[in-house]
Amino acid sequence: MAVEEEGIRVFQSVKIKIGEAKNLPSYPGPNKMRDCYCTVNLDQEEVFRTKIVEKTLCPFYGEDFYCEIPRNFRHLSFYIFDRDVFRRDSIMGKVAILKEDLHKYNNRDTWFQMQHVDADSEVQGKVHLELRLSEVITDTGVICHKLAARVLECQGLPIVNGQCDPYATVTLIGPSRSEAKKTKVKKKTNNPQFDEVFYFEVTKPSSYNKKSHFEIEEDDVDKMEVRVDLWNASNLKFGDEFLGELKIPLKVLRQSSCYEAWYLLQPRDNGKSGKPEDLGSLRLNVVYTEDHVFSCEYYSPLRDLLLKSGDVEPVSASAAHVLGEVCREKQEAAIPLVRLFLHYGKIVPFISAIANAEVNRTQDPNTIFRGNSLTSKCIDETMKLAGMHYLQVTLKPIIDEICELHKPCEIDPVKLKDGENLENNKDNLKNFVDQIFNVITKSGVSCPTVMCDIFFSLRESASKRFQGDPDVRYTAVSSFIFLRFFAPAILSPNLFQLRPHHPDSQTSRTLTLISKTIQTLGSLSKSKSASFKETYMATFYEHFNEQKYADAVKNFLDLISSSGRRDHKRIEQPILLKEGFMIKRAQGRKRFGMKNFKKRWFRLTNHEFTYQKSKGDHPLCNIPIENILAVEKLEEESFKMKNMFQVIQPVRTLYIQANNCVEAKDWIDILTKVSQCNKKRLTVYHPSAFLNGHWLCCKATSENAPGCTPCTGGLPANIQLVIDGDRETERIYSLFNTYMTKLEEMQEACGSKAVYVGSDQEEYSCFLIEDPRETYKTLCQIIEAVKTLQQEHTQYKRDKFEKTKYGSQQHPIGDKSFQTYIRQQSEVSAHSI
């Protein structure tokens, strides 16, 4: 969610890893232990809560949290609570990081000391205030100076215990005086509109002759201040809750009799705390990102350069590949690249290009895609984005069951608890492994199309490169789908949105053992037992040495790596996807033939859909996959038969009845899966049959009439991703700008004789440069595009600095981050001068 600033969209996001807390204060009772949880807050607003870790003073959380921040904030805060069953949970301490200080801790594990939490220091929100000094002449001819304090409104006040009924007090404070007045209470709002004016006498009445017009003694003004306090009206016996205050010295009225501004509320006594206490510490890793995104046309040169990366020869000379070369971690390049290419529908050709190049550089088929290369990271990120729904429908039910049943599954004899039986634990673990293995290997039809297309490309590249290895077409795919997708999701379900929190220690151990076993089953390695370091795992794995497990894995890998793209027939042998008896209605291929129903053996491969009288007979009809325009259910009223579906072709439609509703859905799903990339797929269809000279659904009399109902549009696993292409391009620009020195070093490497001749490449061995001339050309284009965008950002900051008013609603007085910004811009301006 973006905030608009002068036509520029500003995005804020934060990624947090909450590690653990140490040495929290003990409970004052005999048990001393506590049940602790941690919250993440934007100022006072809670946005995330960890699980409760029981009976400890050193809780380990191990939880990740990411969010887009839709508003301005002052502090990113973390509170440790002690759960209390009978009373309100008590706060043990907090860590509060100012927004402008977040960059100091960026992406680093940091231990923070817990701070004391006081109600008087917990504030948020801002106040709009107007002060006006005026001269009043009384009926007796004397004058006095009066102050009009107008409280207009507040914004962003905290909601306390589910409600906010705010009011304000305005106090004029001076030597030996303190006069307070109060607004009305505004019910059920944290953005109250007060618009109330309070009058205060600043100077004593005096003769008009003694005092000149608006002349006030400076000592009187300097010693006076207006204090505004915000309160939440509470019905509790403890009284109203303090929400914040602000203090304004009257000397601000020296130059003008009227002063109006927005103020950030401050803690009481400016947040000064008493004697520091040892409240323990909290380990955090915080990554805060703020993107200033221009309109689309500003990014055209860089975006176009990136999007043609899949077509550049060699791909190592492309802009996207260069980004992976200069970034410190491949992951930071992969995230925005994948999102950008997904947004513009270019992810498959790009990954196919970089994967094919990596395969051609690989010497040993056993090490294919094993490193943390740009290819691996891009495929990982694509699977996370496109495969999230796939994981939900495949793994979530069984993961939920494992977490809720809490069955003991420890098979290491050394770690067995008292009362546990090793054989029972093995049975529990084997049942869980079998369940997960079955749901995975039967889920191929739900695998998102973009993943299938990528796996098809990997399979083709690996098979072509290592023609003597018959298994490489499987291991190239399994190294991703099992090793980098399913196994990590089983191991840490909270990171893949399968569970809300990190599982407890026993369940975590169970998931670790399942993940190891599934990973090994999917690897199809020759000596699987030898792949385990632990003897107990090798022993346990003997249960899975049956051939049926390897066959199931291969069938699954065949299905998810068969593409509906035009070049799918390049695979040497057709892949059998499904077969079985069903009843079909005659298609009317013979002019005078009867359109009756007959039982036939149906067979589906990634090439064609056929049927014959019995299994093994010669096909009576062959339907190429590219001729399937849609596969949809058929309404029961058509032939008064249940479980019917239709395979729509260019000339005629094949009506089929499955044995039951489950079988019908399976056939519809898998037929849709293999045909959904066909270029001529229909968008509308007839849900009923054409009988007696008209369509039963819409009554149209022409057999060629267009459909009357929208097609279902494929499988639910193919989700639409909400990605902002300009934002991702802005992030890529930021990375290039950060690593500008590396780009220049790479330019030097391209121009050096060492790279051309190859006699001594050690100096530039960190860069992969296959075509120096093409790479140098790309680097020049990147640097030019980055410098142009950098100039736009500099101009935007300069314009913002000139137009910004301190004390405005956007930048209220007391905003330390804006004060820091002003100081930085002043230094930049002075440097420029």
Side-chain angles (χ1 to χ4, degrees):
M1 193 177 296
V3 178
E4 289 281 346
E5 285 186 5
E6 301 286 336
I8 306 296
R9 293 178 298 145
V10 181
F11 294 88
Q12 301 175 102
S13 63
V14 66
K15 183 170 67 173
I16 301 164
K17 291 183 179 180
I18 304 173
E20 59 188 315
K22 291 284 189 185
N23 304 320
L24 298 177
S26 60
Y27 188 75
N31 183 3
K32 298 192 180 304
M33 295 293 106
R34 295 182 183 265
D35 299 339
C36 308
Y37 63 90
C38 179
T39 66
V40 180
N41 295 53
L42 293 173
D43 297 321
Q44 299 302 298
E45 182 183 7
E46 181 181 320
V47 293
F48 177 73
R49 179 179 295 199
T50 68
K51 63 180 179 181
I52 297 172
V53 182
E54 298 180 339
K55 299 177 182 177
T56 179
L57 299 180
C58 298
F60 176 81
Y61 298 107
E63 300 206 29
D64 290 43
F65 171 67
Y66 172 86
C67 76
E68 297 282 333
I69 303 174
R71 62 171 177 84
N72 288 324
F73 67 100
R74 294 160 69 181
H75 292 91
L76 180 64
S77 302
F78 303 83
Y79 292 81
I80 300 289
F81 284 84
D82 179 21
R83 179 183 62 178
D84 194 313
V85 178
F86 303 106
R87 294 176 296 177
R88 186 189 300 176
D89 296 348
S90 57
I91 301 176
M92 301 169 63
K94 73 170 181 178
V95 172
I97 310 172
L98 280 168
K99 178 182 176 180
E100 56 269 23
D101 290 339
L102 286 170
H103 70 279
K104 298 177 183 177
Y105 314 105
N106 191 59
N107 205 18
R108 290 201 330 258
D109 275 8
T110 307
W111 283 96
F112 293 90
Q113 285 299 121
M114 302 292 294
Q115 303 296 321
H116 178 69
V117 177
D118 189 310
D120 288 347
S121 67
E122 299 292 286
V123 302
Q124 73 175 55
K126 54 190 174 184
V127 182
H128 190 191
L129 189 69
E130 180 186 282
L131 300 179
R132 187 181 297 273
L133 192 62
S134 57
E135 188 177 73
V136 178
I137 304 176
T138 66
D139 294 338
T140 59
V142 295
I143 67 167
C144 66
H145 295 90
K146 290 197 174 182
L147 174 72
R150 183 184 180 194
V151 183
L152 289 98
E153 60 179 311
C154 297
Q155 287 188 354
L157 298 178
I159 296 175
V160 182
N161 300 324
Q163 58 97 36
C164 188
D165 298 333
Y167 68 90
T169 61
V170 183
T171 308
L172 180 64
I173 302 172
S176 304
R177 66 179 292 181
S178 178
E179 185 181 357
K181 301 186 179 183
K182 174 184 169 183
T183 69
K184 295 176 182 177
V185 175
K186 299 294 181 179
K187 292 285 188 179
K188 298 180 181 178
T189 176
N190 66 335
N191 298 306
Q193 301 282 330
F194 293 113
D195 201 9
E196 295 189 40
V197 183
F198 303 101
Y199 294 95
F200 299 91
E201 201 173 83
V202 176
T203 60
K204 294 179 180 180
S206 58
S207 167
Y208 191 84
N209 297 325
K210 284 186 177 181
K211 296 274 186 181
S212 63
H213 189 63
F214 277 98
E215 183 183 344
I216 306 171
E217 294 179 9
E218 289 189 4
D219 289 345
D220 292 339
V221 174
D222 289 344
K223 294 175 183 177
M224 290 185 182
E225 67 178 12
V226 175
R227 190 183 76 212
V228 179
D229 296 276
L230 268 293
W231 300 85
N232 179 40
S234 173
N235 296 322
L236 300 176
K237 62 181 180 179
F238 301 108
D240 297 345
E241 287 125 339
F242 176 76
L243 300 180
E245 70 174 14
L246 60 94
K247 295 178 180 179
I248 308 167
L250 281 196
K251 59 186 177 184
V252 298
L253 294 169
R254 279 185 185 171
Q255 296 180 350
S256 173
S257 61
C258 183
Y259 183 81
E260 176 263 332
W262 282 85
Y263 287 84
L264 283 180
L265 285 168
Q266 301 296 330
R268 185 170 282 162
D269 296 325
N270 211 22
K272 293 176 184 174
S273 57
K275 182 166 120 178
E277 300 178 59
D278 185 7
L279 300 176
S281 54
L282 180 65
R283 179 166 61 85
L284 302 167
N285 187 304
V286 179
V287 179
Y288 170 74
T289 306
E290 186 173 302
D291 299 317
H292 292 78
V293 181
F294 297 106
S295 54
C296 184
E297 62 271 13
Y298 287 90
Y299 297 104
S300 293
L302 181 58
R303 181 179 60 244
D304 295 345
L305 192 61
L306 290 161
L307 290 178
K308 71 177 185 181
S309 294
D311 301 322
V312 175
E313 288 287 347
V315 72
S316 61
S318 68
H321 197 278
V322 167
L323 181 64
E325 288 296 300
V326 298
C327 284
R328 186 180 60 182
E329 302 287 344
K330 303 292 186 188
Q331 181 75 7
E332 60 181 337
I335 292 173
L337 283 175
V338 165
R339 295 176 70 87
L340 180 72
F341 283 109
L342 273 172
H343 179 71
Y344 287 100
K346 302 260 187 176
I347 190 65
V348 175
F350 170 64
I351 288 183
S352 298
I354 60 175
N356 189 59
E358 182 172 332
V359 168
N360 289 335
R361 291 194 299 268
T362 304
Q363 302 302 316
D364 184 355
N366 295 315
T367 62
I368 193 168
F369 299 126
R370 292 298 182 186
N372 287 321
S373 62
L374 182 65
T375 305
S376 299
K377 292 300 182 183
C378 283
I379 297 176
D380 288 352
E381 192 62 27
T382 304
M383 291 191 299
K384 282 182 186 176
L385 288 170
M388 197 60 73
H389 181 77
Y390 178 35
L391 282 177
Q392 293 282 328
V393 298
T394 307
L395 288 185
K396 185 168 172 49
I398 181 61
I399 294 292
D400 286 341
E401 181 183 336
I402 292 169
C403 293
E404 288 159 13
L405 290 178
H406 216 252
K407 287 185 178 181
C409 295
E410 183 55 71
I411 58 172
D412 183 354
V414 178
K415 295 182 179 180
L416 279 182
K417 295 179 182 177
D418 293 340
E420 288 186 356
N421 182 281
L422 183 60
E423 292 305 315
N424 288 343
N425 286 8
K426 283 184 178 179
D427 288 340
N428 291 338
L429 184 60
K430 185 179 185 300
N431 288 336
F432 283 146
V433 170
D434 277 331
Q435 286 184 65
I436 287 187
F437 180 80
N438 287 333
V439 296
I440 288 174
T441 53
K442 292 177 180 178
S443 71
V445 70
S446 300
C447 186
T449 305
V450 67
M451 289 171 59
C452 293
D453 288 346
I454 290 170
F455 296 150
F456 172 74
S457 175
L458 300 182
R459 174 189 183 125
E460 290 287 275
S461 295
S463 299
K464 184 177 179 182
R465 174 75 173 87
F466 301 104
Q467 297 181 14
D469 189 332
D471 290 330
V472 74
R473 66 179 187 172
Y474 294 117
T475 55
V477 178
S478 68
S479 63
F480 286 103
I481 194 70
F482 281 102
L483 182 66
R484 295 172 176 265
F485 187 63
F486 284 122
I490 295 166
L491 184 65
S492 303
N494 55 305
L495 300 183
F496 292 81
Q497 300 174 24
L498 298 176
R499 295 290 294 175
H501 301 297
H502 186 73
D504 61 77
S505 56
Q506 179 178 312
T507 306
S508 183
R509 174 65 176 163
T510 298
L511 294 175
T512 300
L513 296 172
I514 294 172
S515 180
K516 282 185 175 182
T517 311
I518 291 295
Q519 184 175 315
T520 308
L521 277 168
S523 68
L524 293 172
S525 57
K526 303 292 188 297
S527 56
K528 295 178 180 177
S529 297
S531 64
F532 293 108
K533 297 176 184 176
E534 308 92 342
T535 306
Y536 62 85
M537 282 300 299
T539 305
F540 173 70
Y541 196 82
E542 291 175 2
H543 294 291
F544 303 97
N545 277 331
E546 298 177 46
Q547 185 60 34
K548 67 176 183 179
Y549 289 102
D551 291 342
V553 170
K554 287 185 176 182
N555 289 336
F556 169 68
L557 295 174
D558 280 334
L559 177 55
I560 65 171
S561 61
S562 61
S563 174
R565 303 173 72 85
R566 298 277 62 78
D567 53 0
H568 60 263
K569 291 190 177 180
R570 286 168 51 204
I571 299 177
E572 297 80 3
Q573 295 295 325
I575 300 167
L576 178 63
L577 302 177
K578 191 172 177 63
E579 61 182 347
F581 275 114
M582 291 190 289
I583 296 172
K584 65 96 186 175
R585 181 177 185 261
Q587 300 179 70
R589 288 178 294 163
K590 297 178 182 178
R591 187 172 181 182
F592 300 106
M594 291 286 292
K595 293 185 179 180
N596 55 357
F597 290 88
K598 292 183 179 179
K599 188 175 183 179
R600 293 287 182 257
W601 181 264
F602 285 83
R603 194 168 186 271
L604 175 66
T605 71
N606 59 313
H607 290 181
E608 60 186 2
F609 183 44
T610 63
Y611 62 81
Q612 53 254 36
K613 282 189 176 181
S614 299
K615 185 177 182 178
D617 289 352
H618 188 271
L620 299 172
C621 177
N622 298 67
I623 303 174
I625 294 300
E626 52 262 40
N627 284 359
I628 297 177
L629 306 184
V631 183
E632 300 286 350
K633 289 181 181 179
L634 186 71
E635 290 181 353
E636 188 177 330
E637 67 171 354
S638 298
F639 301 107
K640 309 300 180 186
M641 298 168 66
K642 293 185 176 181
N643 308 318
M644 289 203 69
F645 63 94
Q646 51 185 319
V647 180
I648 304 172
Q649 306 162 70
V651 178
R652 59 183 64 85
T653 299
L654 175 62
Y655 297 118
I656 303 172
Q657 183 188 36
N659 297 321
N660 53 60
C661 61
V662 175
E663 191 76 5
K665 182 181 183 304
D666 286 347
W667 276 104
I668 292 171
D669 283 350
I670 198 163
L671 281 163
T672 301
K673 182 67 183 173
V674 296
S675 65
Q676 64 186 350
C677 292
N678 290 346
K679 291 180 179 178
K680 295 182 180 180
R681 274 189 65 87
L682 299 178
T683 56
V684 291
Y685 77 106
H686 292 285
S688 294
F690 184 84
L691 295 174
N692 302 322
H694 68 274
W695 291 98
L696 298 180
C697 44
C698 61
K699 309 305 180 187
T701 55
S702 170
E703 194 169 0
N704 297 321
C708 57
T709 303
C711 290
T712 52
L715 301 178
N718 296 307
I719 59 172
Q720 290 292 321
L721 292 167
V722 181
I723 296 174
D724 189 316
D726 295 335
R727 185 182 183 185
E728 301 310 324
T729 313
E730 168 65 27
R731 287 182 169 177
I732 292 171
Y733 149 74
S734 297
L735 288 171
F736 275 134
N737 199 34
T738 301
Y739 294 105
M740 182 58 72
T741 304
K742 285 279 192 76
L743 288 171
E744 291 166 350
E745 288 175 4
M746 201 169 180
Q747 268 190 320
E748 292 177 17
C750 290
S752 69
K753 289 183 180 180
V755 173
Y756 282 107
V757 179
S759 58
D760 181 11
Q761 299 188 22
E762 289 187 9
E763 186 179 353
Y764 302 107
S765 59
C766 61
F767 299 123
L768 174 63
I769 301 173
E770 294 175 312
D771 186 332
R773 294 183 183 279
E774 191 66 30
T775 306
Y776 186 85
K777 176 183 170 184
T778 301
L779 285 164
C780 291
Q781 293 173 310
I782 292 171
I783 291 172
E784 182 183 358
V786 169
K787 288 187 174 179
T788 301
L789 277 170
Q790 187 181 29
Q791 290 171 1
E792 295 293 342
H793 277 279
T794 303
Q795 186 62 47
Y796 160 70
K797 290 178 181 177
R798 187 179 295 119
D799 292 345
K800 180 182 175 183
F801 176 65
E802 292 173 354
K803 294 176 183 177
T804 299
K805 177 188 173 186
Y806 191 45
S808 64
Q809 184 175 357
Q810 293 76 21
H811 303 289
I813 294 171
D815 184 354
K816 293 183 179 178
S817 62
F818 183 67
Q819 290 173 332
T820 303
Y821 169 75
I822 289 177
R823 186 169 60 251
Q824 291 172 347
Q825 293 304 308
S826 299
E827 291 170 358
V828 170
S829 299
H831 179 71
S832 300
I833 294 169

